[in-house]
Amino acid sequence: MSIIFLDKLNLGSKIQEVLESIYDPELKPANIVDLGLIYEVITKEDGMAKIVMTLTAPGCPVAGEIMDEVQRKVAAIEGLKGAVVELTFDPPWTKDMMTEEAKLELGFL
């Protein structure tokens, strides 16, 4: 599944690079982008970024940690004033959303 970008500030590639440095500790070595957890990246002229993401399960024990890390790291990107993270379970995450590389790394292929 690919990320939808609505990127008025042209920071999508920098944001994606930062997101690719974040891992779900339960599913290392695949990052949250390769896992298919990032649905949408939105940047606005006011310098704010919004990341719409999901988790592998609604009861994910590290949900708060992952969302905090996403918010903190994206907000630190030069050109942004801040970031918000919106959690959604629509559509629900499935293994089909993972990249082939992530499936291979995690032994799903």
Side-chain angles (χ1 to χ4, degrees):
M1 185 170 152
S2 58
I3 301 171
I4 297 169
F5 287 94
L6 302 170
D7 185 19
K8 302 240 180 194
L9 300 177
N10 294 316
L11 293 172
S13 60
K14 287 183 182 179
I15 293 170
Q16 182 166 341
E17 187 178 314
V18 164
L19 294 172
E20 288 172 346
S21 75
I22 301 171
Y23 297 86
D24 179 332
E26 297 180 323
L27 293 171
K28 271 189 167 180
N31 66 63
I32 62 173
V33 172
D34 289 344
L35 287 172
L37 300 181
I38 304 299
Y39 290 173
E40 211 171 359
V41 172
I42 302 163
T43 62
K44 298 182 180 177
E45 288 97 347
D46 65 0
M48 290 299 293
K50 179 178 175 181
I51 310 301
V52 180
M53 66 176 292
T54 193
L55 300 167
T56 55
C60 177
V62 292
E65 294 169 40
I66 294 171
M67 292 173 62
D68 287 347
E69 186 175 1
V70 169
Q71 189 278 325
R72 199 173 56 252
K73 286 186 172 181
V74 171
I77 294 172
E78 188 175 334
L80 290 176
K81 293 180 181 168
V84 294
V85 178
E86 180 181 309
L87 186 61
T88 184
F89 291 100
D90 184 26
W93 181 85
T94 68
K95 291 177 185 169
D96 294 337
M97 295 172 166
M98 296 168 61
T99 63
E100 294 297 309
E101 182 180 13
K103 289 177 187 174
L104 188 61
E105 287 176 333
L106 295 171
F108 293 130
L109 284 181

